[in-house]
Amino acid sequence: MPKNRRIEREGGGRQASIPRLAWLIGPALVAGVAYLDPGNVASNMTAGATFGYLLVWVVVLGNAMAWLIQYLSAKLGIVTGESLPEVLGRRLRNRWGRRAYWLQAELVAMATDIAEVIGGAVALNLLFGLPLLLGGAITGAVSISLLLVQSRGGAEPFEFVVIGLLAIIAVGFTFGVFVAPPDPAGIAGGLLPRFEGTDSVLLAASILGATIMPHAIYAHSALARDRFRSERGFSTRRLLRATRWDVTVAMLIAGTVNLCILLLAAANLAGVPGTDSLEGAYAALYTGLGPVVAVLFAVGLLASGQASTSVGAYAGAEIMHGLLHVRIPLIWRRLVTLLPALVILAIGFDPTAALVLSQVVLSFGIPFALVPLVSLTARSDVLGGFRNRMITTGAGVAASIFLIALNGLLLWLVLTGG
């Protein structure tokens, strides 16, 4: 039987004041950093610079789906007291099937690491002229120090640090939109779902891979589990209510920032030569909007790399522990997963191309996290009376079908050269 340690009757805990409930906000903001990693920046900047406002609808739709998905992930962790990998690790009884599932999840987590380390390296190069390989090593070293905060200080100090970085990210990536506002008519036109060729589908899949990130689904269930484990005074229903606010705030921030990145590029970089790379975009912003906008953009990119790489390492460790029942210290694991990104930087592979491709890899990992999540949260033997309502399950199924269909379309277009 599942360990439904959090299933309680409404009113089972003491009356909770609004300020005390507000104190429960945090796990979704940490998981939400995954929606603002350097892969998001590369995908949204490239989409705006290449296709203008065409893919605004993808960002909006992706954020709406992300709200539902992150809430379901947190609900699973709160009600069962287990993360999604832990629940799957118990239910996948075939050893090889469990290992195969772990392998794809691990590859997705590694793709996340690549995006985050490369983004941090590019930011350090833009700000201080550091070589990319050295910048990647520094990004990895700083992420290790952040992980030490989590492993030694616990969930709440880690949340404070990551949320502080989130504030820097938000300022860095939205400032330029106020300096050079986008065209309202262009934004309205971009809300109409459509594509223009294979490249636009590739970028749409990349945006969704960066917006709905598999490792964020795994991580959020674990973050909610760890954060609320000690909150015995609240009923499960009150914790879920606080979590809905937590997810709403996190997704509003992430969605607004992601949209601002695309709009900034669409309004100021569309058709400008060389803006298909982060370095080119930085140079164009510097020339067109001034050094303040460009430097804030680079600072936001640096903060996003540092914050999201820590969340990615946390997710990877949880995936391994839950599915293989093996726990490797976060620091050692971070050192191993740092290597692929450093190799890419060392061989001179285009950083922006690596970022965009890493997000496509992430988009193909979405169904493997999303389908089990929707299925498990709809089961009464897992969540008891807190299982999904039919409309919630229907929305989750619709999101899963859409994402799988988009990935299938992308694969067909790439293979056929359409």
Side-chain angles (χ1 to χ4, degrees):
M1 292 291 293
K3 301 176 183 178
N4 293 350
R5 295 194 294 250
R6 288 283 178 196
I7 298 180
E8 308 167 38
R9 294 190 305 272
E10 168 66 6
R14 63 178 178 274
Q15 289 293 317
S17 65
I18 292 178
R20 185 157 163 75
L21 280 173
W23 184 250
L24 300 177
I25 291 178
L29 289 171
V30 175
V33 166
Y35 293 79
L36 296 171
D37 78 342
N40 291 79
V41 182
S43 297
N44 289 314
M45 289 292 289
T46 303
T50 306
F51 293 102
Y53 300 99
L54 177 72
L55 298 179
V56 165
W57 68 274
V58 178
V59 177
V60 174
L61 179 62
N63 201 66
M65 291 190 292
W67 187 98
L68 172 64
I69 293 164
Q70 293 306 132
Y71 173 67
L72 293 182
S73 175
K75 182 166 78 166
L76 181 71
I78 291 170
V79 176
T80 67
E82 294 180 309
S83 67
L84 177 58
E86 285 177 324
V87 175
L88 290 172
R90 273 192 304 103
R91 301 180 76 90
L92 293 173
R93 302 192 181 278
N94 183 284
R95 182 173 59 180
W96 291 105
R98 189 169 63 249
R99 289 177 176 175
Y101 188 93
W102 165 79
L103 180 60
Q104 64 80 27
E106 197 68 49
L107 290 174
V108 165
M110 289 182 69
T112 302
D113 276 333
I114 289 172
E116 292 152 356
V117 173
I118 290 178
V122 170
L124 288 171
N125 175 262
L126 296 175
L127 289 169
F128 307 110
L130 295 181
L132 289 175
L133 183 58
L134 176 59
I138 292 174
T139 300
V142 173
S143 71
I144 289 174
S145 67
L146 293 178
L147 290 171
L148 286 173
V149 172
Q150 194 277 334
S151 60
R152 296 182 180 180
E156 292 183 28
F158 182 62
E159 286 177 12
F160 285 133
V161 173
V162 173
I163 291 172
L165 290 171
L166 178 62
I168 297 173
I169 295 167
V171 173
F173 289 147
T174 60
F175 184 79
V177 173
F178 295 98
V179 174
D183 175 28
I187 298 174
L191 294 173
L192 177 65
R194 66 195 191 280
F195 296 111
E196 290 182 3
T198 305
D199 289 343
S200 66
V201 179
L202 175 65
L203 278 172
S206 181
I207 291 170
L208 288 172
T211 304
I212 304 170
M213 304 187 77
H215 81 280
I217 299 174
Y218 299 123
H220 200 172
S221 59
L223 288 164
R225 174 203 63 195
D226 295 344
R227 181 69 156 80
F228 298 131
R229 181 175 283 156
S230 61
E231 298 292 344
R232 302 288 182 182
F234 293 104
S235 69
T236 300
R237 203 168 296 278
R238 289 184 181 276
L239 291 176
L240 292 177
R241 188 179 305 156
T243 295
R244 284 193 287 272
W245 280 105
D246 191 19
V247 175
T248 299
V249 171
M251 291 301 101
L252 279 175
I253 294 173
T256 299
V257 174
N258 277 320
L259 187 57
C260 284
I261 294 170
L262 188 148
L263 296 179
L264 178 66
N268 301 281
L269 305 181
V272 178
T275 53
D276 54 349
S277 69
L278 289 174
E279 298 89 341
Y282 172 84
L285 290 174
Y286 194 99
T287 302
L289 300 182
V292 174
V293 172
V295 169
L296 283 175
F297 171 80
V299 169
L301 181 64
L302 179 60
S304 78
Q306 300 296 353
S308 54
T309 191
S310 304
V311 176
Y314 175 88
E318 186 61 37
I319 289 167
M320 178 174 285
H321 170 65
L323 291 167
L324 299 186
H325 311 297
V326 174
R327 191 175 287 281
I328 296 176
L330 277 174
I331 308 306
W332 289 107
R333 176 184 174 80
R334 188 71 195 94
L335 289 172
V336 172
T337 57
L338 185 61
L339 291 177
L342 294 181
V343 169
I344 289 175
L345 292 173
I347 64 176
F349 192 84
D350 180 62
T352 303
L355 286 172
V356 173
L357 290 174
S358 73
Q359 303 313 295
V360 176
V361 172
L362 290 176
S363 76
F364 280 96
I366 291 169
F368 293 99
L370 182 53
V371 172
L373 176 68
V374 174
S375 175
L376 288 169
T377 53
R379 297 176 64 98
S380 59
D381 62 334
V382 177
L383 296 191
F386 295 100
R387 69 185 184 277
N388 295 340
R389 297 178 180 178
M390 288 186 63
I391 189 171
T392 304
T393 299
V397 170
S400 302
I401 292 173
F402 173 79
L403 292 167
I404 293 170
L406 180 62
N407 289 330
L409 175 61
L410 169 65
L411 183 61
W412 181 78
L413 288 173
V414 170
L415 292 177
T416 60

